[in-house]
């Protein structure tokens, strides 16, 4: 018996609490005018109030939009979006309100702080934000919003919100680019014969967090305050966000290192071509590092229709270093060809010399040897220090053999002199190539810089033209 009493008491308490909540909800709803509208309420709405109809006015209804921008919290270059943290205020005249000016609930400035529960019973404008992806009202215990009514029947609805909008961006000039996005507020269905929009905005620049852009909010152009669609003109208001990218990080991380690598590649022109490991290692290392920088830039840069400005720069640096490497490869090819030709001529002469020695051995006495040291360079103008040692059997040779050897020595001396002259001419030729390249490559890089910075800083940014 005692166990059944407890559930009955709980049911009574729950029922009582439900009645209190229901009564509280009714009391918080907007007051409806009765026969005595002068009651304790500062205002009320007629019984025939229709929240689906625009308030009656002489002409279109004026809606004032006041936007306070806490900050532009995020600019996403990959998703092409901007995120705003702001107060979004709408003010218009609700002519159907019945105002009780004698109510003590009016404030000193003639305003009354209404409940946000009133909103569901009132007409609200069909607001749209152009290219809005997300409109998120802040909520802690309740929505961070408010409703204020004035004696002159003006109504203010304010809400704290986070807004994400699409922003069309072009990155052909990245990181030397600038962008412009518009925050446009208007009516979705009512044209300017029914609703017109005006407004203002403010930006808390001092508390704006650092972004990859320098941000400046400006007024809309007159052409942006209306839009023509389906033979109807719609009013709109808002602001424009002009963004200039901060260039210092990319200049220090990409432009400066890659430019210095190009300059370092010119040092190879003063390294002797014969020092193959040093010169080749320098150029190949620079080339591979620039390729690695290009891969990193491509992965982190926003996508564009073609190459971005920074990609164009790194590609040009890679091509420049590759040109220096190709110039050295040409010199190595010249040296290699000269060495092969010289070795082939020497082998041919040694073959003739061996045949001559073989013939003379038949007339020489055995068991007696002599060593003949022949100066392979001869005593000509273009002499060489190369020497070869040949062993011959007899100490005494016939006059015929001596004459033959003398003729061979003379021919080899002439050959060495001619070969040495050719080698010196070839050496002078590739030294001349290095000397010309030492001035040509810096000149090409200088001209490229003039064209590059003129195009991206003036043609693209100022005149908004692009060849790509």
């Amino acid at each position: 018996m005692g166990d059944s009493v407890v559930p009955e008491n709980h049911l009574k308490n729950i029922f009582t609490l439900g009645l209190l909540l229901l009564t509280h909800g009714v009391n918080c709803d907007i007051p409806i005018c009765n026969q005595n509208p002068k009651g304790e309420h500062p205002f009320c709405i007629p019984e025939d109030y229709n929240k689906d109809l625009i308030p009656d006015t002489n002409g279109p209804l004026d809606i004032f939009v006041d936007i306070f921008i806490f900050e532009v919290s995020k600019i996403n270059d990959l998703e092409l979006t901007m995120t705003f943290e702001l107060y979004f205020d709408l003010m218009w005249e609700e002519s159907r309100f019945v105002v009780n000016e004698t109510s003590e609930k009016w404030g000193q400035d003639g305003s009354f702080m209404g409940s946000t529960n009133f909103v569901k019973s009132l007409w609200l404008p069909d607001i749209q934000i152009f290219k809005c992806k997300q409109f998120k009202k802040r909520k802690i215990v309740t929505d961070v919003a408010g409703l204020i009514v004035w004696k002159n029947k003006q109504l203010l609805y304010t809400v704290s919100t986070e807004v994400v909008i699409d922003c069309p961006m072009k990155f052909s000039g990245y990181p030397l680019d600038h962008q412009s996005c518009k925050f446009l507020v208007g009516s979705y269905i009512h044209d300017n014969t029914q609703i017109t929009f005006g407004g203002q905005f403010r930006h808390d620049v001092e508390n704006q967090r650092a972004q990859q852009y320098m941000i400046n909010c400006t007024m809309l152009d007159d052409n942006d305050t209306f839009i023509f669609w389906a033979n109807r003109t719609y009013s709109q208001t808002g602001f424009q966000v002009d963004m200039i990218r901060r260039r210092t990080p990319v200049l220090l991380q990409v432009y400066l290192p890659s430019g210095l690598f190009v300059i370092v590649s010119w040092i190879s022109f003063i390294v002797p071509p014969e020092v193959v490991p040093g010169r080749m290692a320098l150029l190949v290392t620079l080339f591979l590092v620039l390729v690695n920088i290009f891969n990193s830039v491509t992965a982190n840069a926003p996508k564009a229709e073609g190459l971005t400005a920074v990609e164009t720069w790194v590609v040009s640096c890679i091509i420049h270093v590759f040109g220096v490497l190709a110039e050295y490869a040409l010199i190595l090819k010249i040296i290699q060809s000269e060495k092969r030709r010289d070795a082939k001529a020497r082998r041919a002469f040694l073959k003739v010399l061996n045949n001559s020695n073989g013939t003379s051995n038949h007339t020489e006495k055995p068991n007696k040897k002599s060593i003949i040291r022949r100066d392979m360079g001869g005593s000509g103008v273009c002499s060489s220090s190369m020497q070869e040692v040949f062993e011959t059997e007899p100490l005494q040779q016939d006059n015929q053999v001596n004459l033959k050897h003398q003729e061979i020595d003379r021919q080899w001396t002439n050959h060495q002199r001619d070969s040495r002259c050719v080698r010196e001419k070839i050496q002078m030729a590739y030294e001349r190539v290095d000397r010309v390249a030492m001035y040509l490559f810096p000149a090409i890089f200088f001209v490229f810089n003039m064209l590059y910075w003129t195009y991206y800083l003036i043609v693209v940014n100022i005149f908004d033209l692009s060849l790509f």
Side-chain angles (χ1 to χ4, degrees):
M1 188 84 146
D3 295 337
S4 63
V5 174
V6 176
E8 291 180 359
N9 291 335
H10 278 289
L11 290 175
K12 290 180 181 180
N13 292 335
I14 294 173
F15 181 73
T16 303
L17 179 60
L19 290 177
L20 290 175
L21 291 174
L22 183 60
T23 305
H24 178 74
V26 172
N27 291 335
C28 290
D29 202 358
I30 192 168
I32 299 176
C33 300
N34 50 30
Q35 295 179 354
N36 183 18
K38 299 287 187 179
E40 60 180 2
H41 300 293
F43 73 96
C44 60
I45 59 174
E47 294 182 356
D48 59 350
Y49 182 88
N50 189 343
K51 66 178 184 180
D52 296 326
L53 298 179
I54 299 177
D56 296 331
T57 56
N58 294 326
L61 176 66
D62 294 326
I63 297 180
F64 188 82
V65 182
D66 189 1
I67 302 174
F68 181 80
I69 308 167
F70 290 112
E71 66 172 350
V72 180
S73 60
K74 186 177 182 181
I75 303 173
N76 194 322
D77 289 337
L78 300 179
E79 297 181 0
L80 306 182
T81 60
M82 293 185 66
T83 303
F84 297 88
E85 308 290 338
L86 46 81
Y87 283 144
F88 191 76
D89 299 348
L90 298 173
M91 180 181 289
W92 68 94
E93 180 183 356
E94 180 53 86
S95 59
R96 292 170 291 184
F97 280 173
V98 178
V99 176
N100 181 8
E101 296 185 357
T102 61
S103 175
E104 296 180 354
K105 293 185 179 180
W106 292 108
Q108 294 181 355
D109 59 349
S111 65
F112 171 74
M113 303 292 293
S115 170
T116 53
N117 292 324
F118 292 175
V119 173
K120 62 183 180 181
S121 301
L122 296 175
W123 174 86
L124 296 176
D126 56 328
I127 296 294
Q128 78 156 351
I129 299 176
F130 188 62
K131 293 186 177 180
C132 178
K133 296 190 67 174
Q134 179 178 318
F135 188 93
K136 183 179 180 181
K137 292 192 296 183
R138 291 187 178 86
K139 186 174 182 179
I140 303 177
V141 179
T142 60
D143 290 340
V144 184
L147 186 72
I148 304 176
V149 180
W150 278 271
K151 287 184 178 181
N152 60 359
K153 301 183 180 180
Q154 291 288 327
L155 186 147
L156 171 65
Y157 179 61
T158 179
V159 60
S160 179
T161 181
E162 177 185 84
V163 182
V164 181
I165 65 170
D166 280 326
C167 180
M169 302 180 187
K170 294 183 179 180
F171 299 107
S172 59
Y174 172 85
L176 309 174
D177 58 326
H178 65 90
Q179 309 293 342
S180 180
C181 295
K182 297 173 183 177
F183 190 99
L184 301 174
V185 181
S187 174
Y188 181 75
I189 195 65
H190 297 94
D191 59 21
N192 62 349
T193 62
Q194 299 170 303
I195 295 178
T196 59
F197 287 89
Q200 66 180 11
F201 69 92
R202 288 160 292 169
H203 183 201
D204 189 3
V205 180
E206 294 182 356
N207 294 321
Q208 170 67 53
R209 74 179 72 180
Q211 295 286 354
Q212 66 268 38
Y213 293 93
M214 293 181 289
I215 301 171
N216 182 32
C217 297
T218 60
M219 297 292 296
L220 293 174
D221 294 334
D222 292 337
N223 293 333
D224 294 325
T225 58
F226 63 89
I227 183 172
F228 187 76
W229 176 255
N231 296 325
R232 302 171 71 182
T233 303
Y234 296 84
S235 175
Q236 56 188 14
T237 188
F239 56 90
Q240 178 172 307
V241 182
D242 296 325
M243 299 173 288
I244 301 177
R245 190 180 297 275
R246 301 181 189 273
R247 301 163 182 170
T248 302
V250 182
L251 289 176
L252 294 178
Q253 296 169 8
V254 179
Y255 282 86
L256 182 61
S258 56
L260 290 177
F261 289 153
V262 171
I263 295 175
V264 169
S265 70
W266 302 338
I267 298 177
S268 66
F269 296 134
I270 64 177
V271 178
E274 293 81 6
V275 187
V276 178
R279 187 163 175 174
M280 184 64 72
L282 172 65
L283 295 177
V284 171
T285 301
L286 293 176
F287 182 80
L288 295 178
V289 171
L290 286 173
V291 170
N292 188 41
I293 292 176
F294 178 76
N295 293 334
S296 176
V297 167
T298 304
N300 297 324
K303 304 304 177 184
E305 294 83 358
L307 289 177
T308 62
V310 67
E311 291 171 343
T312 303
W313 171 268
V314 178
V315 168
S316 300
C317 292
I318 292 175
I319 294 175
H320 191 95
V321 174
F322 179 79
V324 177
L325 186 60
E327 183 265 348
Y328 183 53
L330 177 62
I331 291 177
L332 290 180
K333 181 62 178 178
I334 295 174
I335 296 175
Q336 185 182 38
S337 299
E338 186 273 334
K339 287 183 176 180
R340 286 179 178 178
R341 187 167 54 252
D342 186 65
K344 183 178 180 181
R346 193 192 329 176
R347 286 195 300 268
F349 179 80
L350 292 177
K351 183 177 180 181
V352 173
L353 184 62
N354 289 332
N355 291 335
S356 175
N357 286 335
T359 304
S360 62
N361 284 337
H362 295 288
T363 61
E364 296 172 349
K365 296 179 180 181
N367 299 326
K368 292 183 179 180
K369 297 182 180 180
S370 65
I371 298 177
I372 300 177
R373 186 174 301 273
R374 301 186 183 276
D375 185 1
M376 306 301 294
S379 59
V381 177
C382 301
S383 63
S384 173
S385 61
M386 297 172 54
Q387 293 182 341
E388 292 191 10
V389 177
F390 303 96
E391 290 186 354
T392 58
E393 291 293 333
L395 296 174
Q396 299 177 352
Q397 299 179 352
D398 296 334
N399 292 333
Q400 184 178 0
V401 175
N402 290 332
L403 293 175
K404 184 178 295 185
H405 284 173
Q406 291 175 2
E407 178 64 20
I408 293 173
D409 287 342
R410 187 184 65 79
Q411 292 179 0
W412 178 252
T413 300
N414 294 336
H415 169 74
Q416 284 293 92
R417 183 177 64 252
D418 295 340
S419 177
R420 182 62 178 171
C421 291
V422 171
R423 285 199 301 271
E424 289 184 354
K425 290 180 180 179
I426 293 175
Q427 182 178 357
M428 293 176 61
Y430 63 67
E431 287 179 353
R432 188 181 301 110
V433 170
D434 263 349
R435 190 162 51 250
V436 171
M438 186 183 301
Y439 295 100
L440 179 62
F441 279 91
I444 292 175
F445 192 66
F446 176 77
V447 173
F448 165 74
N449 274 269
M450 295 292 292
L451 297 176
Y452 178 88
W453 296 106
T454 300
Y455 174 74
Y456 283 106
L457 293 180
I458 298 177
V459 177
V460 174
N461 283 338
I462 297 180
F463 297 103
D464 199 19
L465 300 174
S466 179
L467 300 178
F468 306 101

